[in-house]
Structures are given as C-alpha cells and as structure tokens.
C-alpha cells in the first residue's frame, strides 16, 4: 500500500491508550498519523493540512479554503453524525470522498433526551438549588412522564431509539418523519402530520437532520400550534428551531418549557442570547454525543472508515 498522511485536526476526546490501539492498524499499513488537539485559526489549519491525503475532523467547521489547501486530499473522515459543517461543494468539485460516523451516539443522545424531559417534568435543576438554600418542593410542580403523549420529529436511528424508550416509559408515542418505519408502527408508534403532532403532544422532541428544508421547521406558527402545557426538546440540531421565536414563546407562556442541547451556535453562548433568560428552560453545552463510551465508538468507526475507503469498500458514505 502507498503510505498516506492522515491529519487529525482536532481532539477526538479519547485516551492516549485508546487512540494508540485504534490507530495501530493504520500505522501497520505504513501510514503517517499527525494528531492535533489544540484549536487554531484557519491560516494555521491550512498549514497543517497542506500535505494531507486524509483529513479527520469531528464537529469543527471545515471550509473550502482549508480543504483546497490540501492539494493531495482524497478522503475526509468525519468523526460525527452530522456533516453540515463540511463544505461538501468543495469536496464534490475535487472528487474528495467523505464518510461520517453515524450511529456512534444513538444511545447517548436518546438517553440525554429523556434526562432533559425528566429534568423539566420534575423541576430537577431549580429544586437542586432550592434544597441547598434550605427550601422545599413547595411551589414547584412534579409531573409523570408515564401516560404523556410524546411527539418525535424524525425517526432515524436516534429518533427511533427515542420512540422505543418513550414506549418503555409508558408514553403514547406519535411521530412525524419523511420516512415512516414499519417496525416502529408495529411497536405502537403512530405517524401524524407535523401539525397534528404539534397539537396533540405533551412533549415534542426533535431528531431530524439540518437541511435547507428543516431549518426553522419549528417557528412561531408551529410553536403556537402546541399546547400551552407542552415541552419542547432539542438534542438534534439547533437551527431546526427558530430560537428567537422559541425564546419569545417561552416568555409569553405559549409553551411551558424547553430542554436544549443545541441552539444556533456551539458554546460558549453570549450572555445576551435570548434563550438564556427564558423561563423553565434548561440549556446544556452540546453534550448529547459526548459520553466516554460514545467517543470511543466514534473513533473506532472513523478509523475503520479510513481502512474501508482505502480498501475500495467505503462505508457510511456522505460523498
């Protein structure tokens, strides 16, 4: 095999031991692996990739200027499920192949989804502070998840797992998705139009990819369709919700609460961001994918993607 330079442009969040174990097969093929774990500006990124045959990134933006600085670039392994942060048009123009690490965080994101839901239903965050101040539960509602109507937008791998967990919790699960899944229907999931799902659900949770069609899928009009007692959860992609409209809906009591792992930007979030002072809103800093177990799974998938591409059997194909 021809030795290739594999440049990893950001930390993969795994231990040195795991990194060495997972990259050993690539090193045995004679490839050079260059691993950068610090954050640098675009000009430095261009310098780092100039001799790369293969690039590995997670969720850092990868624009055309950096891609085109790598004149020998043949393959990009995205250690992430989403890939909207990669300039795919630049890749298409040069015939660069791209694979992602879909599936690595399915269980992790689904679990966080229910952590946010239960946190809101049981007022976990404010009551933790109350008890440290010598207070009690008085004045704070407590609600079951059991028996609630759970509306799942997007029933791919993660949304499908959320449906299954919702059923296990005793929810009535309804869904809206471009593709309906027969196996979920057989388990009791009922597919509805988006409008009917929003009107009927006690909890709406978002798991659809970000595309031109899904950006701001949930805006002012859609929020006004929801029950005033309803909660909205987003562990999918931030801009699927019009977050300015969401902040206003929460402040105007159009809906009752929100649990968000994603907003319009990656953290840190500026202090004047409208959702930060919205009532009954939990925001966490994009942690859904980031369990120790999931990060090892994504690294394993990513390096396996490189081997499969080199062997002419590309998997997890984006391009």
């Amino acid at each position: 095999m021809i030795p290739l330079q594999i440049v990893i442009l950001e930390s993969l969040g795994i231990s040195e031991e795991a990194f060495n174990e997972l990259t050993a097969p690539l090193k045995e093929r004679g490839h050079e692996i260059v691993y950068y774990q610090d954050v640098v500006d675009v000009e430095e990124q261009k310098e780092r990739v100039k001799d790369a045959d293969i690039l590995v990134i997670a969720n850092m933006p990868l624009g055309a200027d950096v891609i085109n600085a790598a004149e020998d670039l043949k393959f990009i392994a995205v250690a992430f499920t989403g890939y909207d942060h990669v300039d795919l048009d630049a890749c298409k123009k040069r015939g660069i192949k791209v694979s992602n690490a879909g599936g690595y965080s399915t269980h992790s994101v689904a679990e966080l989804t229910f952590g946010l839901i239960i946190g809101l239903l049981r007022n976990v965050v404010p009551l933790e502070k109350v008890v440290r101040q010598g207070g009690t539960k008085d004045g704070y509602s407590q609600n079951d998840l059991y028996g609630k109507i759970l509306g799942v937008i997007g029933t791919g791998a993660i949304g499908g797992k959320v449906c299954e967990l919702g059923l296990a919790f005793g929810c009535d699960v309804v869904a809206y998705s471009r593709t309906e899944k027969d196996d979920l229907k057989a388990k009791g999931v009922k597919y509805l139009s988006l409008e009917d799902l929003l009107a009927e659900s006690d909890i709406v949770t978002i798991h659809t990819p970000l595309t031109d069609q899904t950006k701001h899928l949930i805006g002012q009009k859609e929020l006004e369709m929801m029950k005033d007692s309803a909660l909205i959860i987003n562990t999918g992609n931030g801009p699927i919700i019009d977050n300015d409209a969401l902040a206003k809906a929460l402040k105007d009591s159009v809906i009752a609460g929100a649990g968000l792992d994603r907003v319009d930007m990656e953290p840190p979030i500026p202090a004047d961001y409208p959702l930060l002072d919205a009532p009954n809103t939990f925001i966490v800093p994009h942690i859904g994918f980031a369990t120790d177990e999931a990060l090892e799974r994504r690294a394993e998938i990513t390096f396996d993607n490189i081997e499969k591409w080199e062997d002419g059997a590309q998997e997890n194909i984006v391009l």
Side-chain angles (χ1 to χ4, degrees):
M1 291 185 177
I2 300 172
L4 302 172
Q5 185 184 85
I6 302 168
V7 176
I8 305 168
L9 273 178
E10 62 180 309
S11 173
L12 297 179
I14 60 175
S15 68
E16 182 178 358
E17 179 182 6
F19 179 82
N20 290 335
E21 180 180 342
L22 291 171
T23 56
L26 294 168
K27 292 174 182 175
E28 289 170 4
R29 293 180 178 219
H31 302 324
E32 176 190 7
I33 297 177
V34 183
Y35 188 16
Y36 296 105
Q37 301 187 61
D38 57 332
V39 178
V40 296
D41 61 24
V42 168
E43 290 307 310
E44 181 62 25
Q45 290 174 28
K46 288 161 70 173
E47 181 65 24
R48 289 179 173 184
V49 306
K50 65 180 183 180
D51 296 321
D53 298 287
I54 297 170
L55 286 182
V56 177
I57 63 163
N59 63 333
M60 66 175 286
L62 188 66
D65 45 358
V66 177
I67 292 169
N68 291 329
E71 295 183 1
D72 297 323
L73 186 60
K74 306 168 185 66
F75 182 66
I76 298 172
V78 181
F80 213 63
T81 301
Y83 43 81
D84 53 283
H85 53 299
V86 178
D87 191 325
L88 296 181
D89 287 336
C91 296
K92 289 176 185 175
K93 288 176 183 176
R94 293 184 47 197
I96 297 166
K97 299 298 184 181
V98 182
S99 289
N100 71 340
Y104 79 92
S105 63
T106 298
H107 295 278
S108 312
V109 175
E111 288 175 9
L112 178 65
T113 298
F114 284 92
L116 292 171
I117 292 170
I118 293 170
L120 285 165
L121 290 172
R122 305 303 298 268
N123 272 301
V124 170
V125 171
L127 283 173
E128 199 278 340
K129 184 177 180 181
V130 164
V131 79
R132 291 179 182 274
Q133 296 173 340
T136 72
K137 63 178 173 51
D138 292 348
Y140 290 88
S141 64
Q142 294 287 304
N143 291 284
D144 286 341
L145 175 55
Y146 176 83
K148 295 291 188 294
I149 300 173
L150 178 68
V152 181
I153 297 178
T155 55
I158 294 172
K161 180 57 64 176
V162 168
C163 288
E164 292 172 355
L165 290 174
L167 292 167
F169 272 110
C171 296
D172 293 324
V173 180
V174 297
Y176 167 76
S177 191
R178 182 178 61 183
T179 303
E180 298 185 3
K181 302 290 180 63
D182 289 338
D183 62 322
L184 293 177
K185 289 181 181 179
K187 293 173 182 176
V189 176
K190 180 181 178 183
Y191 280 89
L192 301 175
S193 68
L194 179 60
E195 292 77 10
D196 286 344
L197 179 146
L198 293 170
E200 293 186 18
S201 298
D202 299 303
I203 302 155
V204 173
T205 180
I206 294 171
H207 304 284
T208 189
L210 178 63
T211 66
D212 290 340
Q213 289 71 41
T214 62
K215 183 177 181 180
H216 290 184
L217 180 69
I218 305 298
Q220 178 183 344
K221 180 180 74 172
E222 289 74 24
L223 291 163
E224 290 174 350
M225 294 177 186
M226 295 172 62
K227 300 175 182 178
D228 59 11
S229 59
L231 307 175
I232 193 163
I233 308 295
N234 191 2
T235 54
N237 204 300
I240 293 170
I241 300 178
D242 179 340
N243 287 285
D244 288 337
L246 175 59
K248 186 175 187 306
L250 290 160
K251 292 172 185 178
D252 292 347
S253 299
V254 173
I255 63 171
L260 309 170
D261 188 36
R262 306 293 300 276
V263 290
D264 296 300
M265 65 200 78
E266 290 296 302
I269 298 171
D272 62 351
Y273 189 68
L275 278 165
L276 291 181
D277 63 353
N280 203 26
T281 301
F282 299 168
I283 305 178
V284 292
H286 195 183
I287 60 172
F289 71 97
T291 66
D292 292 344
E293 296 86 352
L295 294 181
E296 279 206 26
R297 285 194 295 268
R298 78 170 184 178
E300 182 176 1
I301 293 168
T302 298
F303 295 127
D304 187 58
N305 280 342
I306 294 173
E307 291 186 53
K308 292 290 174 50
W309 166 79
E310 187 181 17
D311 293 340
Q314 184 183 357
E315 291 186 349
N316 300 303
I317 297 170
V318 174
L319 283 179

